[in-house]
Amino acid sequence: MSVRSLILLFNLVAPPMALAIWGLGGSWFWICGALIPAHALWLWATLVPNCSWWGPQLRRINSAGRNVWITIDDGPDPADTPQLLDLLDGQGAKATFFLIGSRAERYPELVKLILARGHEIGNHTYHHPAGWFWFFGQRKVNDEITHCSEVLKAIAPGLKLRWFRAPAGFRNHHVHPSLEKSGLKLAGWSVRGRDGVSQDLGLISARLRSGIQEGAIFLMHEGRVDQKGNRLAPQVLACLLDELQKADYKAVIPTV
Ligand SMILES: [Zn+2]
């Protein structure tokens, strides 16, 4: 039996077990003893980044050489995306942009531009409900994923989507069944600069630099500004590309 099935089974039997213990006059110690571990396992599988208990998640690319994968979340962004594309093209680097469906709908020309410049596009939900996606039921998870795919495919007919990234990396047990239906795979990461929460370029770049190695997956975000109000993503990407070049690594789109 898979870890996924065990956790789901445990969460299914824990509430009636707790109820039975309560009915038999058992103490709170035993009632909590039935419920807390079941919920803790569910929360761990859902909220711990890159945990694969609910299903497979790519955390490193199969690399035959000094190759890495740069992934850029939360676009498209009219201020950042064109600059990011110029930086990538300037170094002959390729990246995957995980786009939010509602933003793609607002800036369809940027979606087309990313593809025209030879980069890849991934699904990052329609609304990007970062605070609640992990708590959604099957129908809402499905809606977020399929609606985003539909928007991207309407902008770029014939587009073949391969990857999905969950908002903030949180994903519950409903996500993998939805991905299977949509023909998508879950993309994790091996290193992130935490540029979604930090505005400190030095700190963000140091975190990314520490993760440079064969097969690394870098996670960064667009649509943010630094402490001085300057666009953050182009600065982060410029530093990362520079470090990769110095260490003789190539940013590619994985074939798996
Ligand atoms: Zn995001």
Side-chain angles (χ1 to χ4, degrees), residues 73-75 98 100 124-125 128 130 165-169 219-221 224:
D73 288 10
D74 293 0
F98 282 90
I100 299 170
H124 196 37
T125 69
H128 197 266
R165 176 167 284 140
L219 164 60
M220 53 173 289
H221 297 83
R224 270 70 168 179

Side-chain angles (χ1 to χ4, degrees), residues 199-210:
Q199 294 179 303
D200 187 330
L201 178 64
L203 210 56
I204 294 164
S205 298
R207 287 189 188 117
L208 292 175
R209 187 168 55 238
S210 71

Side-chain angles (χ1 to χ4, degrees), residues 18-154:
L19 207 61
I21 295 167
W22 178 72
L24 292 168
S27 73
W28 281 106
F29 176 82
W30 291 110
I31 293 170
C32 292
L35 289 174
I36 290 173
H39 285 111
L41 284 170
W42 187 92
L43 285 170
W44 185 276
T46 299
L47 300 180
V48 171
N50 287 323
C51 179
S52 291
W53 287 357
W54 290 141
Q57 178 164 200
L58 192 73
R59 288 177 288 183
R60 195 163 289 278
I61 62 169
N62 283 327
S63 167
R66 295 172 77 79
N67 294 326
V68 298
W69 187 21
I70 296 177
T71 64
I72 305 168
D73 288 10
D74 293 0
D77 183 276
D80 287 342
T81 308
Q83 289 191 62
L84 298 176
L85 291 172
D86 287 346
L87 286 165
L88 290 165
D89 290 359
Q91 293 216 11
K94 296 294 178 202
T96 297
F97 290 76
F98 282 90
L99 302 182
I100 299 170
S102 56
R103 293 188 66 83
E105 221 163 35
R106 209 178 319 159
Y107 307 110
E109 71 288 353
L110 291 176
V111 178
K112 290 176 186 164
L113 190 62
I114 294 168
L115 293 169
R117 305 276 278 266
H119 303 283
E120 185 182 30
I121 278 171
N123 180 323
H124 196 37
T125 69
Y126 181 77
H127 292 104
H128 197 266
W132 294 104
F133 185 70
W134 65 277
F135 202 66
F136 280 180
Q138 186 71 73
R139 190 181 57 79
K140 285 181 106 173
V141 165
N142 232 17
D143 286 351
E144 282 294 335
I145 294 171
T146 54
H147 196 180
C148 180
S149 288
E150 282 164 9
V151 165
L152 297 176
K153 286 176 180 175

Side-chain angles (χ1 to χ4, degrees), residues 229-242:
N230 298 315
R231 304 306 304 179
L232 184 58
Q235 300 180 71
V236 171
L237 183 62
C239 288
L240 177 59
L241 288 172
D242 193 41

